[in-house]
Amino acid sequence: MKTLESVGRMALPDPRVWVCGDWHGNVGWLQTVVPAMARLAPGVTTILHAGDWWMDSKSVDFWSVRAGIERVLVTLGNHEPYDEYAPLLDAHPGHAVRVSDVVWLLPRPWRFEVFGREFLSLGGAASVDRRWRTEGKDWWPQERILDEQVEAACSRPADVMITHESPGDSPVDAVSQLLASNPGGFPADALAESAASRAQVSRVWNSVHPELLLHGHMHVSGQGQTADGRRVVSLGRLRRSGTSRY
Ligand SMILES: [Mn+2]
């Protein structure tokens, strides 16, 4: 994989965009959902992806072109091939890197504009399933959000945040219920890392105060609103409802 182009800032004129999450490299889902997007919302040309992407770029290009999708901006998750992605991003600090006809990988953090609104992308999350993964094969330390990235993200307000990780104290009932019940039986040390990761997203969320935050990672679809009016949308994962919204 190589970088075809890199940019520090992007201003998209799109009045509507898709936001999707947690496709987990599944080409079957790609070839189901992308043609469906073209039928549901012809003319929408941008997908924002909230991470756990790990898609084959050639397949994404193939299906995107047929669906009129011109770009996919990927906010990286925890399950990503960071051995491939990190060197590309590290070679272009602060820049989004285009790795195929339509796919752009976003650095952490990254700001861009959509229809005059300020968007803040903050990828990364802690893997609660790390115990069952192997470093260098299907787990990399670059999944974790760094405190310096948190501080950089807090530089000024934003209208919309796209993250992989959920903020802590989520107003989304499905997310708080999931976290309270730990149905995956994940170990305590992993849950502690996960909570720390959510606290990092909360710090940014409370600082930049976006009207809307969309995230993946939890694999449950739902939305909620804080007492001070901030909306949060949790996206489902592939093959479940709510993996995509526009
Ligand atoms: Mn994830």
PDB file of all heavy atoms in Angstrom, residues 147-162:
ATOM      1  N   ASP A 147      -2.439  10.834  24.787  1.00  0.00           N
ATOM      2  CA  ASP A 147      -2.876  12.064  25.450  1.00  0.00           C
ATOM      3  C   ASP A 147      -2.513  13.304  24.631  1.00  0.00           C
ATOM      4  O   ASP A 147      -3.248  14.283  24.629  1.00  0.00           O
ATOM      5  CB  ASP A 147      -2.275  12.146  26.858  1.00  0.00           C
ATOM      6  CG  ASP A 147      -2.955  11.150  27.803  1.00  0.00           C
ATOM      7  OD1 ASP A 147      -4.093  10.723  27.499  1.00  0.00           O
ATOM      8  OD2 ASP A 147      -2.338  10.792  28.820  1.00  0.00           O
ATOM      9  N   GLU A 148      -1.383  13.247  23.923  1.00  0.00           N
ATOM     10  CA  GLU A 148      -1.019  14.412  23.104  1.00  0.00           C
ATOM     11  C   GLU A 148      -1.999  14.598  21.942  1.00  0.00           C
ATOM     12  O   GLU A 148      -2.254  15.720  21.505  1.00  0.00           O
ATOM     13  CB  GLU A 148       0.421  14.272  22.585  1.00  0.00           C
ATOM     14  CG  GLU A 148       0.620  13.147  21.600  1.00  0.00           C
ATOM     15  CD  GLU A 148       2.079  12.677  21.521  1.00  0.00           C
ATOM     16  OE1 GLU A 148       2.655  12.343  22.573  1.00  0.00           O
ATOM     17  OE2 GLU A 148       2.619  12.669  20.401  1.00  0.00           O
ATOM     18  N   GLN A 149      -2.561  13.492  21.457  1.00  0.00           N
ATOM     19  CA  GLN A 149      -3.577  13.588  20.396  1.00  0.00           C
ATOM     20  C   GLN A 149      -4.875  14.169  20.953  1.00  0.00           C
ATOM     21  O   GLN A 149      -5.565  14.938  20.282  1.00  0.00           O
ATOM     22  CB  GLN A 149      -3.819  12.203  19.782  1.00  0.00           C
ATOM     23  CG  GLN A 149      -2.593  11.663  19.059  1.00  0.00           C
ATOM     24  CD  GLN A 149      -2.674  10.181  18.753  1.00  0.00           C
ATOM     25  OE1 GLN A 149      -3.460   9.436  19.352  1.00  0.00           O
ATOM     26  NE2 GLN A 149      -1.851   9.727  17.819  1.00  0.00           N
ATOM     27  N   VAL A 150      -5.179  13.815  22.189  1.00  0.00           N
ATOM     28  CA  VAL A 150      -6.343  14.385  22.869  1.00  0.00           C
ATOM     29  C   VAL A 150      -6.174  15.894  22.986  1.00  0.00           C
ATOM     30  O   VAL A 150      -7.075  16.670  22.644  1.00  0.00           O
ATOM     31  CB  VAL A 150      -6.516  13.742  24.268  1.00  0.00           C
ATOM     32  CG1 VAL A 150      -7.521  14.513  25.110  1.00  0.00           C
ATOM     33  CG2 VAL A 150      -6.933  12.284  24.131  1.00  0.00           C
ATOM     34  N   GLU A 151      -5.007  16.305  23.441  1.00  0.00           N
ATOM     35  CA  GLU A 151      -4.776  17.753  23.612  1.00  0.00           C
ATOM     36  C   GLU A 151      -4.839  18.477  22.279  1.00  0.00           C
ATOM     37  O   GLU A 151      -5.415  19.559  22.175  1.00  0.00           O
ATOM     38  CB  GLU A 151      -3.438  18.003  24.312  1.00  0.00           C
ATOM     39  CG  GLU A 151      -3.410  17.494  25.749  1.00  0.00           C
ATOM     40  CD  GLU A 151      -4.661  17.865  26.546  1.00  0.00           C
ATOM     41  OE1 GLU A 151      -5.038  19.058  26.557  1.00  0.00           O
ATOM     42  OE2 GLU A 151      -5.288  16.966  27.143  1.00  0.00           O
ATOM     43  N   ALA A 152      -4.261  17.891  21.239  1.00  0.00           N
ATOM     44  CA  ALA A 152      -4.293  18.522  19.910  1.00  0.00           C
ATOM     45  C   ALA A 152      -5.728  18.647  19.405  1.00  0.00           C
ATOM     46  O   ALA A 152      -6.088  19.621  18.746  1.00  0.00           O
ATOM     47  CB  ALA A 152      -3.452  17.707  18.929  1.00  0.00           C
ATOM     48  N   ALA A 153      -6.558  17.664  19.735  1.00  0.00           N
ATOM     49  CA  ALA A 153      -7.953  17.671  19.265  1.00  0.00           C
ATOM     50  C   ALA A 153      -8.776  18.764  19.939  1.00  0.00           C
ATOM     51  O   ALA A 153      -9.774  19.223  19.400  1.00  0.00           O
ATOM     52  CB  ALA A 153      -8.595  16.301  19.518  1.00  0.00           C
ATOM     53  N   CYS A 154      -8.341  19.172  21.129  1.00  0.00           N
ATOM     54  CA  CYS A 154      -9.107  20.144  21.920  1.00  0.00           C
ATOM     55  C   CYS A 154      -8.828  21.596  21.529  1.00  0.00           C
ATOM     56  O   CYS A 154      -9.212  22.512  22.243  1.00  0.00           O
ATOM     57  CB  CYS A 154      -8.800  19.971  23.410  1.00  0.00           C
ATOM     58  SG  CYS A 154      -9.451  18.451  24.121  1.00  0.00           S
ATOM     59  N   SER A 155      -8.161  21.814  20.412  1.00  0.00           N
ATOM     60  CA  SER A 155      -7.682  23.162  20.083  1.00  0.00           C
ATOM     61  C   SER A 155      -8.792  24.192  19.925  1.00  0.00           C
ATOM     62  O   SER A 155      -8.609  25.359  20.258  1.00  0.00           O
ATOM     63  CB  SER A 155      -6.840  23.112  18.808  1.00  0.00           C
ATOM     64  OG  SER A 155      -7.630  22.637  17.719  1.00  0.00           O
ATOM     65  N   ARG A 156      -9.940  23.784  19.415  1.00  0.00           N
ATOM     66  CA  ARG A 156     -11.032  24.742  19.200  1.00  0.00           C
ATOM     67  C   ARG A 156     -12.332  23.958  19.007  1.00  0.00           C
ATOM     68  O   ARG A 156     -12.301  22.744  18.813  1.00  0.00           O
ATOM     69  CB  ARG A 156     -10.740  25.642  17.993  1.00  0.00           C
ATOM     70  CG  ARG A 156     -10.537  24.903  16.689  1.00  0.00           C
ATOM     71  CD  ARG A 156     -10.068  25.852  15.589  1.00  0.00           C
ATOM     72  NE  ARG A 156     -10.069  25.204  14.281  1.00  0.00           N
ATOM     73  CZ  ARG A 156      -9.100  24.430  13.826  1.00  0.00           C
ATOM     74  NH1 ARG A 156      -8.037  24.192  14.591  1.00  0.00           N
ATOM     75  NH2 ARG A 156      -9.177  23.887  12.625  1.00  0.00           N
ATOM     76  N   PRO A 157     -13.474  24.656  19.027  1.00  0.00           N
ATOM     77  CA  PRO A 157     -14.748  23.941  18.899  1.00  0.00           C
ATOM     78  C   PRO A 157     -14.903  23.236  17.555  1.00  0.00           C
ATOM     79  O   PRO A 157     -14.178  23.524  16.598  1.00  0.00           O
ATOM     80  CB  PRO A 157     -15.804  25.049  19.032  1.00  0.00           C
ATOM     81  CG  PRO A 157     -15.115  26.170  19.708  1.00  0.00           C
ATOM     82  CD  PRO A 157     -13.678  26.102  19.286  1.00  0.00           C
ATOM     83  N   ALA A 158     -15.832  22.306  17.488  1.00  0.00           N
ATOM     84  CA  ALA A 158     -16.198  21.645  16.237  1.00  0.00           C
ATOM     85  C   ALA A 158     -17.704  21.419  16.258  1.00  0.00           C
ATOM     86  O   ALA A 158     -18.315  21.332  17.323  1.00  0.00           O
ATOM     87  CB  ALA A 158     -15.459  20.321  16.081  1.00  0.00           C
ATOM     88  N   ASP A 159     -18.298  21.335  15.095  1.00  0.00           N
ATOM     89  CA  ASP A 159     -19.745  21.102  14.998  1.00  0.00           C
ATOM     90  C   ASP A 159     -20.088  19.623  15.091  1.00  0.00           C
ATOM     91  O   ASP A 159     -21.129  19.253  15.629  1.00  0.00           O
ATOM     92  CB  ASP A 159     -20.268  21.666  13.660  1.00  0.00           C
ATOM     93  CG  ASP A 159     -20.027  23.153  13.528  1.00  0.00           C
ATOM     94  OD1 ASP A 159     -20.467  23.898  14.422  1.00  0.00           O
ATOM     95  OD2 ASP A 159     -19.367  23.572  12.561  1.00  0.00           O
ATOM     96  N   VAL A 160     -19.221  18.799  14.506  1.00  0.00           N
ATOM     97  CA  VAL A 160     -19.488  17.359  14.440  1.00  0.00           C
ATOM     98  C   VAL A 160     -18.202  16.620  14.769  1.00  0.00           C
ATOM     99  O   VAL A 160     -17.123  17.007  14.309  1.00  0.00           O
ATOM    100  CB  VAL A 160     -19.965  16.944  13.026  1.00  0.00           C
ATOM    101  CG1 VAL A 160     -20.221  15.433  12.952  1.00  0.00           C
ATOM    102  CG2 VAL A 160     -21.221  17.706  12.618  1.00  0.00           C
ATOM    103  N   MET A 161     -18.303  15.565  15.569  1.00  0.00           N
ATOM    104  CA  MET A 161     -17.155  14.679  15.807  1.00  0.00           C
ATOM    105  C   MET A 161     -17.450  13.299  15.241  1.00  0.00           C
ATOM    106  O   MET A 161     -18.571  12.792  15.390  1.00  0.00           O
ATOM    107  CB  MET A 161     -16.863  14.528  17.306  1.00  0.00           C
ATOM    108  CG  MET A 161     -15.980  15.623  17.887  1.00  0.00           C
ATOM    109  SD  MET A 161     -15.736  15.408  19.680  1.00  0.00           S
ATOM    110  CE  MET A 161     -14.626  13.979  19.716  1.00  0.00           C
ATOM    111  N   ILE A 162     -16.441  12.716  14.618  1.00  0.00           N
ATOM    112  CA  ILE A 162     -16.502  11.325  14.179  1.00  0.00           C
ATOM    113  C   ILE A 162     -15.403  10.597  14.948  1.00  0.00           C
ATOM    114  O   ILE A 162     -14.219  10.946  14.830  1.00  0.00           O
ATOM    115  CB  ILE A 162     -16.209  11.174  12.669  1.00  0.00           C
ATOM    116  CG1 ILE A 162     -17.082  12.124  11.832  1.00  0.00           C
ATOM    117  CG2 ILE A 162     -16.388   9.713  12.241  1.00  0.00           C
ATOM    118  CD1 ILE A 162     -18.516  11.749  11.714  1.00  0.00           C
TER     119      ILE A 162
END
